[in-house]
Amino acid sequence: MAAGSAAPDADRRRDPRRSITHGVRLQVIDPSRDITAPSRYQAVSRDISAHGMRILAERTFPANTPIRLAVEDDGHASDELTFHTGSIVWAHPLPGERRCLLGIQFGEGEALPTPA
């Protein structure tokens, strides 16, 4: 496994997850300057819970990378976004593909209502 120690399918979740597929824009936060880095990356959500989500991205990132996410709301126009901060908990490159599953933990105070 490239980053993080937990397996992506390990059931260590605090909250139930629901499957969703929304566009996600991921931006790395530069902790040394407390701003987001200029590079943005496109991804797709796979599932979400009150405290985190799993996304499919075109590249991997190290564990504990602080990020900002912009998630498209329920398939509406891309200008309708929900923003979250968080960090990469684990990264799992997909064999034979150039994509990676990423486990995201939302930042402190960013918990969402538990999905139904």
Side-chain angles (χ1 to χ4, degrees), residues 22-23 57-58 103:
H22 297 292
E58 296 297 319

Side-chain angles (χ1 to χ4, degrees), residues 71-102:
V71 181
E72 292 180 9
D73 288 338
D74 296 327
H76 292 111
S78 61
D79 60 341
E80 297 183 35
L81 303 172
T82 302
F83 295 93
H84 304 282
T85 59
S87 62
I88 307 289
V89 179
W90 53 261
H92 181 70
L94 298 176
E97 296 188 36
R98 299 175 69 174
R99 298 183 297 169
C100 182
L101 285 172
L102 301 175

Side-chain angles (χ1 to χ4, degrees), residues 4-15 17 49 89-90 103 105:
S5 58
D9 54 355
D11 195 2
R12 302 180 312 124
R13 300 176 184 136
R14 296 186 272 182
D15 303 293
R17 290 195 176 234
S49 74
V89 179
W90 53 261
Q105 181 175 345

Side-chain angles (χ1 to χ4, degrees), residues 31-112:
S32 66
R33 299 189 305 168
D34 197 28
I35 61 170
T36 52
S39 297
R40 290 186 173 97
Y41 305 93
Q42 294 296 113
V44 176
S45 63
R46 288 294 177 235
D47 58 35
I48 191 166
S49 74
H51 292 93
M53 68 188 312
R54 184 173 55 148
I55 64 173
L56 181 62
E58 296 297 319
R59 59 160 291 183
T60 189
F61 297 89
N64 301 315
T65 299
I67 57 169
R68 181 173 191 241
L69 298 170
V71 181
E72 292 180 9
D73 288 338
D74 296 327
H76 292 111
S78 61
D79 60 341
E80 297 183 35
L81 303 172
T82 302
F83 295 93
H84 304 282
T85 59
S87 62
I88 307 289
V89 179
W90 53 261
H92 181 70
L94 298 176
E97 296 188 36
R98 299 175 69 174
R99 298 183 297 169
C100 182
L101 285 172
L102 301 175
I104 309 296
Q105 181 175 345
F106 295 141
E108 197 66 32
E110 296 256 344
L112 302 175

